[in-house]
Amino acid sequence: MADLVKERKKLQDVMMFMGALGQGAEKILQRSASVVGFQSGKAIGMEATKNFTATTDDLEKAVDLLQEALYGIGLDWKFGLWKKSDEPTYFKDEGDKWVSYMWFQDCLVRNTLFTYADKQEGALCHMSHGFFAGALERILGGKKVDLEILHGGENGCYKKLTVFKEKGGS
């Protein structure tokens, strides 16, 4: 039991550091903090999944594979595709890209922000979006991925997922 208390204390310390880092980045970099967060998160996401070799062009399967890849590196991050009940598929073809919507739950960043009493949708949120996008890009064989916050909530977040059809995106 003492080990669990020590591990929780370490995690809380890291969360506090992340909160301070995010808040400091936003004060110094202002609006560009989100771009910096997204790009650095993307690089980390690609690096974190470099040993995951499964790739696919099937967008729904790619999201499932991503969940598997993240679980394999110790991240139990719950997310999934979302659509209205009358829509036939999760992804809508918009010419040069596919668009879908996702829900995210149990987010370490959201928990960190609540612990630090900071707002959602800032640099740390964009870093986690970049992480997600970079990891999914690897699974999709290099297709550019973007993730946009539509709603950041206390119990979950709702986001727009865009996958560009050409490798490297547009």
Side-chain angles (χ1 to χ4, degrees):
M1 187 62 147
D3 288 341
L4 182 58
V5 171
K6 285 181 185 177
E7 291 301 313
R8 284 187 177 168
K9 174 70 172 119
K10 279 189 215 176
L11 178 59
Q12 188 174 19
D13 290 347
V14 170
M15 290 171 62
M16 293 298 285
F17 176 74
M18 286 176 52
L21 184 63
Q23 194 174 55
E26 289 173 7
K27 284 181 181 176
I28 294 167
L29 301 173
Q30 297 172 354
R31 290 177 40 174
S32 60
S34 293
V35 175
V36 171
F38 185 85
Q39 291 302 320
S40 60
K42 195 174 207 178
I44 294 166
M46 293 190 92
E47 179 65 23
T49 56
K50 70 180 178 189
N51 294 327
F52 191 78
T53 58
T55 61
T56 184
D57 286 328
D58 180 317
L59 300 173
E60 289 181 40
K61 183 175 179 168
V63 172
D64 291 338
L65 285 171
L66 175 56
Q67 188 113 61
E68 180 185 322
L70 295 180
Y71 189 76
I73 60 172
L75 295 175
D76 188 13
W77 192 10
K78 292 174 180 51
F79 54 80
L81 295 170
W82 182 88
K83 67 178 181 71
K84 293 179 182 175
S85 60
D86 63 341
E87 293 176 334
T89 62
Y90 286 105
F91 284 89
K92 180 180 175 186
D93 188 333
E94 293 189 357
D96 64 338
K97 61 190 173 218
W98 294 286
V99 173
S100 186
Y101 298 91
M102 297 190 72
W103 55 268
F104 286 76
Q105 205 176 337
D106 300 331
C107 178
L108 177 63
V109 169
R110 186 173 57 246
N111 294 341
T112 298
L113 294 172
F114 287 156
T115 299
Y116 198 75
D118 202 0
K119 64 179 177 29
Q120 288 178 252
E121 302 181 30
L124 286 180
C125 287
H126 283 92
M127 185 178 287
S128 73
H129 301 159
F131 181 91
F132 180 92
L136 189 57
E137 281 182 15
R138 180 175 297 285
I139 291 169
L140 287 169
K143 288 185 173 68
K144 183 181 175 197
V145 174
D146 192 32
L147 195 61
E148 175 187 351
I149 304 167
L150 299 177
H151 172 75
E154 187 174 313
N155 295 316
C157 295
Y158 179 61
K159 301 174 185 183
K160 179 179 175 182
L161 173 66
T162 303
V163 178
F164 295 87
K165 292 181 179 180
E166 298 296 320
K167 287 187 179 182
S170 61

